[in-house]
Amino acid sequence: MNLIQIILLFTLIVPFCIAEQSVVDYCVANLTLPKTPGGYPCIDENKLTSNDFVFTGFHSPGNTSESVFKSSVIRANDDTFPALNGLGLAMSRIDIAVGGVVPIHTHRVSEIIIVIEGTIIAGFIGTNHTAYYKTLYKYDVMIFPHSLLHFQVNVGDTPALAFVSLNSANPGFQTTSLALGANDLPTEIVSKITLLDEEEVRRLKAIFNGTNDLIL
């Protein structure tokens, strides 16, 4: 490829790259208006203050005693921290009691975790069914690629604390056990598509308030 061709290619690519960039510095979400696939409409920037760009929800631990998994996730996303709207960022505080877990789940985006206190086993399962997992200690960091199933387990003798960052203002969160137990699919269908016996499906549905209707 000669210099003229390179210049021509560059002139074709650059406009598309610029088009992907934001035309505003920020777009603090107006939560009183409907959300769209691109996020929330913006609050008039003349009405914003420094407080709109600060999130204080991570100060206190989450209540792990109310969860069957003995864990708590406090999320800073565009619904709870409107300044993240359109910026492609979110964070969560994760508290895990002794013996607790963040159950296997998935997001539509990638996630990075840093352990602040405690000892956890964290991992993900690739699409080739390989499990990548590791015991993480204070200040260890691990990445979970987008859309892959991943989890955390507190294997220490003290509560664990970690923070995660995700590359979306609304990354989504689907837990496998909750998806199986909270749905309104007939029990026998869930049993057939998962190979779980119907008794176990009913147990999950009882925990997560799903229905147990049978096919007529």
Side-chain angles (χ1 to χ4, degrees), residues 191-210:
S191 178
K192 288 181 182 297
I193 63 177
T194 62
L195 300 183
L196 295 172
D197 62 51
E198 292 189 13
E199 181 179 352
E200 180 61 18
V201 174
R202 290 191 182 94
R203 188 182 76 86
L204 283 174
K205 284 179 173 285
I207 293 173
F208 298 114
N209 299 315

Side-chain angles (χ1 to χ4, degrees), residues 1-13:
M1 182 177 291
N2 60 38
L3 181 59
I4 299 299
Q5 289 173 317
I6 293 174
I7 293 174
L8 178 61
L9 180 62
F10 182 76
T11 58
L12 291 173
I13 292 176

Side-chain angles (χ1 to χ4, degrees), residues 92-156:
S92 293
R93 172 183 174 138
I94 300 176
D95 292 279
I96 313 175
V98 175
V101 305
V102 176
I104 196 161
H105 64 281
T106 184
H107 311 282
R108 62 177 70 97
V109 297
S110 300
E111 173 184 334
I112 190 168
I113 185 172
I114 179 169
V115 178
I116 304 301
E117 297 290 347
T119 304
I120 68 174
I121 290 178
F124 66 90
I125 301 172
T127 54
N128 62 356
H129 310 303
T130 300
Y132 301 92
Y133 62 98
K134 185 76 174 178
T135 301
L136 303 181
Y137 302 95
K138 189 173 183 177
Y139 302 142
D140 284 345
V141 173
M142 187 172 185
I143 185 72
F144 308 117
H146 68 90
S147 77
L148 297 182
L149 292 165
H150 55 285
F151 62 89
Q152 294 92 38
V153 182
N154 185 348
V155 293

Side-chain angles (χ1 to χ4, degrees), residues 22-178:
S22 176
V23 296
V24 296
D25 295 324
Y26 44 78
C27 177
V28 178
N30 186 338
L31 300 183
T32 66
L33 296 176
K35 193 173 190 178
T36 72
Y40 287 100
C42 311
I43 292 176
D44 184 344
E45 64 178 71
N46 294 318
K47 298 179 179 180
L48 299 175
T49 70
S50 298
N51 290 335
D52 290 299
F53 299 94
V54 176
F55 181 76
T56 60
F58 290 157
H59 287 198
S60 301
N63 187 349
T64 59
S65 64
E66 293 184 351
S67 167
V68 66
F69 298 111
K70 300 172 65 176
S71 64
S72 172
V73 179
I74 299 173
R75 297 181 177 88
N77 56 27
D78 58 2
D79 290 320
T80 60
F81 187 13
L84 293 177
N85 184 50
L87 296 183
L89 296 169
M91 289 189 69
S92 293
R93 172 183 174 138
I94 300 176
D95 292 279
I96 313 175
V98 175
V101 305
V102 176
I104 196 161
H105 64 281
T106 184
H107 311 282
R108 62 177 70 97
V109 297
S110 300
E111 173 184 334
I112 190 168
I113 185 172
I114 179 169
V115 178
I116 304 301
E117 297 290 347
T119 304
I120 68 174
I121 290 178
F124 66 90
I125 301 172
T127 54
N128 62 356
H129 310 303
T130 300
Y132 301 92
Y133 62 98
K134 185 76 174 178
T135 301
L136 303 181
Y137 302 95
K138 189 173 183 177
Y139 302 142
D140 284 345
V141 173
M142 187 172 185
I143 185 72
F144 308 117
H146 68 90
S147 77
L148 297 182
L149 292 165
H150 55 285
F151 62 89
Q152 294 92 38
V153 182
N154 185 348
V155 293
D157 54 8
T158 61
L161 169 64
F163 288 92
V164 301
S165 180
L166 306 102
N167 59 332
S168 170
N170 190 349
F173 184 91
Q174 186 172 42
T175 304
T176 303
S177 51
L178 186 61

